[in-house]
């Protein structure tokens, strides 16, 4: 577990919407972005505003991260492990002179590590 790279399809450009029929997918990507310190403020605010809906939908209490942790049964150590994996991938990419786009990393991480939870659409 805990691999990630720059794979993944994007919404638009004639490609199928990767989130269609997979409501947890974007939430998991935001979770990964938050773990690596790359969640944008507007996304953070959107998630904060979604907390009452998430709590009702999943019958859980807490902020959005706590709800995801409860629903997915993630261990408390997972964000730290995601961050370690990000830092390793970032260092490797930089040593090769390759750019790293956090959103692409998050997509690839979710695709590679949670495919049993969020099957391809």
């Amino acid at each position: 577990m805990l691999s990630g790279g720059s794979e993944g399809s994007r919404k638009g450009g004639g490609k199928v919407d990767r989130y269609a029929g997979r409501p947890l997918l974007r939430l998991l990507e935001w979770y990964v972005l938050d773990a690596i310190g790359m969640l944008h403020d507007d996304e953070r605010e959107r998630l904060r505003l979604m907390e009452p809906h998430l709590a009702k939908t999943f019958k859980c209490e807490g902020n959005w991260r706590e709800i995801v942790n409860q629903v997915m049964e993630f261990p408390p150590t997972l964000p730290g492990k995601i961050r370690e994996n990000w830092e390793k991938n970032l260092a490797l990419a930089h040593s090769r002179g390759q750019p790293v786009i956090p959103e692409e990393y998050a997509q690839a991480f979710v695709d590679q590590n949670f495919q049993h939870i969020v099957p391809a659409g």
Side-chain angles (χ1 to χ4, degrees):
M1 188 168 159
L2 298 181
S3 59
S6 59
E7 298 173 13
S9 62
R10 292 187 159 265
K11 183 178 176 178
K15 293 186 180 180
V16 175
D17 181 353
R18 83 182 251 108
Y19 307 109
R22 303 189 299 169
L24 284 176
L25 184 61
R26 188 68 181 134
L27 195 57
L28 290 171
E29 289 173 4
W30 280 330
Y31 185 92
V32 171
L33 287 168
D34 187 58
I36 66 173
M38 296 293 176
L39 185 65
H40 296 288
D41 289 340
D42 59 329
E43 293 166 333
R44 189 178 314 283
E45 180 62 12
R46 180 187 297 176
L47 287 161
R48 188 189 67 74
L49 294 172
M50 286 174 50
E51 287 172 355
H53 176 71
L54 293 171
K56 183 178 178 183
T57 299
F58 295 112
K59 298 173 180 57
C60 296
E61 292 185 19
N63 64 40
W64 72 271
R65 278 178 239 84
E66 293 166 339
I67 292 169
V68 171
N69 284 331
Q70 291 173 57
V71 170
M72 304 305 292
E73 299 179 356
F74 288 156
T77 57
L78 184 59
K81 289 181 179 184
I82 293 171
R83 178 75 180 188
E84 288 174 20
N85 182 266
W86 162 253
E87 290 171 356
K88 287 178 187 174
N89 277 286
L90 193 60
L92 180 62
H94 284 169
S95 74
R96 295 178 177 169
Q98 299 172 325
V100 180
I101 299 168
E103 291 79 9
E104 289 181 2
Y105 171 83
Q107 288 178 0
F109 187 94
V110 169
D111 290 350
Q112 293 172 19
N113 293 289
F114 303 128
Q115 62 185 330
H116 63 288
I117 298 168
V118 186

